[in-house]
C-alpha cells in the first residue's frame, strides 16, 4: 500500500488501482465487491507477497481473477512477486501458474530497485492507462480542430442557401 500504490498511481501513466480500503462499497458483500472490481478492471495486478499468502480474501481474489484470466484472450493477470517467497509456500495452482508465465519481481533489496526498469516493464504489461487514452484523444481532437479550414463568408452564405433550398419542395 505504501510502496506499490504510489509507484503505480503517481507515475506519468496515472493508473487507478482498485484498492479495497477505498473502493469497496461499505455494507456490501465482500465477494460481490471483489467480483465488481474484477469486472471493472482491464487488468489485475496480483501482488504475491507474504501478506497475500496469509490472507483468505487474497486467495479468494486470486481464484476469481484466475477464472477471468482463463476466460480472457489477453494477458489479464499480471503477477508481481513482492518480497522474499519460498516456492513451496505458494498454493499449488499459483505455483504452477507462475512456473509457466513470465512475472515481474520486485527486488528484495531496495538498493537493487531500478525503478525505471520496473516501471517500464509494468507499464508494458498493464497497457495504456485510461488517463493516457483520454490525453491522447483530447490531443487528437485539438489537432483536428486546428487543421479544419475555416469557412469564409461566401462559403458560409452558399451553405446557408443550399440548406434553405434543399428544404423547399420545388428543389426536392
Amino acid at each position: 500500500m505504501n510502496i506499490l500504490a504510489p509507484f503505480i498511481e503517481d507515475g506519468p501513466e496515472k493508473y487507478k488501482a482498485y484498492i479495497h480500503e477505498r473502493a469497496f462499497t461499505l455494507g456490501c458483500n465482500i465477494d460481490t465487491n471483489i467480483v465488481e472490481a474484477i469486472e471493472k478492471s482491464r487488468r489485475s495486478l496480483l501482488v504475491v507477497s507474504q501478506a497475500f499468502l496469509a490472507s483468505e480474501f487474497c486467495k479468494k481474489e486470486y481464484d476469481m481473477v484466475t477464472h477471468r484470466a482463463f476466460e480472457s484472450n489477453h494477458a489479464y493477470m499480471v503477477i508481481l512477486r513482492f518480497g522474499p517467497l519460498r516456492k513451496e509456500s505458494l498454493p499449488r495452482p499459483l505455483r504452477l501458474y507462475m512456473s509457466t508465465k513470465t512475472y515481474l519481481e520486485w527486488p528484495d533489496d531496495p538498493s537493487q530497485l531500478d525503478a525505471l526498469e520496473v516501471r517500464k516493464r509494468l507499464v508494458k504489461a498493464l497497457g495504456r492507462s485510461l488517463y493516457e487514452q483520454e490525453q491522447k484523444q483530447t490531443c487528437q481532437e485539438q489537432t483536428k480542430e486546428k487543421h479544419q479550414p475555416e469557412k469564409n463568408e461566401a462559403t458560409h452564405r452558399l451553405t446557408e442557401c443550399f440548406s434553405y433550398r434543399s428544404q423547399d419542395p420545388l428543389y426536392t
Side-chain angles (χ1 to χ4, degrees):
M1 288 291 297
N2 299 327
I3 298 170
L4 196 54
F7 185 78
I8 293 170
E9 294 182 322
D10 297 341
E13 304 82 17
K14 298 188 186 325
Y15 288 106
K16 183 176 180 195
Y18 208 96
I19 298 171
H20 76 276
E21 282 93 352
R22 64 178 186 215
F24 280 11
T25 304
L26 296 176
C28 188
N29 183 294
I30 292 173
D31 289 349
T32 303
N33 274 317
I34 293 170
V35 169
E36 185 177 305
I38 292 168
E39 288 175 351
K40 287 182 176 180
S41 299
R42 294 180 307 131
R43 299 272 192 286
S44 281
L45 177 61
L46 188 70
V47 181
V48 181
S49 65
Q50 289 296 337
F52 167 86
L53 295 173
S55 169
E56 289 303 314
F57 291 114
C58 286
K59 290 174 187 168
K60 270 187 181 185
E61 288 176 3
Y62 167 72
D63 289 340
M64 292 178 192
V65 167
T66 303
H67 182 72
R68 168 89 186 266
F70 285 123
E71 285 179 342
S72 178
N73 290 334
H74 66 284
Y76 174 77
M77 184 168 47
V78 176
I79 296 178
L80 172 66
R81 187 198 54 81
F82 195 86
L85 293 171
R86 291 185 344 265
K87 286 196 178 196
E88 42 298 336
S89 67
L90 299 174
R92 190 169 186 212
L94 180 57
R95 192 175 343 140
L96 176 62
Y97 191 88
M98 289 179 72
S99 70
T100 61
K101 303 287 184 188
T102 303
Y103 59 91
L104 187 58
E105 293 189 24
W106 192 273
D108 298 337
D109 179 2
S111 69
Q112 298 296 313
L113 175 65
D114 180 355
L116 291 176
E117 184 60 30
V118 171
R119 177 175 302 288
K120 187 168 69 172
R121 293 193 68 204
L122 195 52
V123 166
K124 185 176 180 181
L126 294 176
R128 241 192 198 154
S129 69
L130 294 176
Y131 172 79
E132 287 178 303
Q133 289 178 8
E134 289 170 4
Q135 293 297 102
K136 183 178 179 183
Q137 184 176 359
T138 302
C139 183
Q140 287 173 340
E141 289 169 1
Q142 289 173 349
T143 303
K144 192 183 234 183
E145 288 173 7
K146 283 182 183 178
H147 291 8
Q148 285 184 344
E150 290 187 31
K151 293 180 180 178
N152 62 29
E153 185 75 23
T155 306
H156 184 67
R157 273 190 254 134
L158 181 61
T159 305
E160 280 181 353
C161 181
F162 178 73
S163 64
Y164 171 74
R165 285 188 179 163
S166 66
Q167 295 171 11
D168 190 329
L170 294 173
Y171 289 94
T172 57

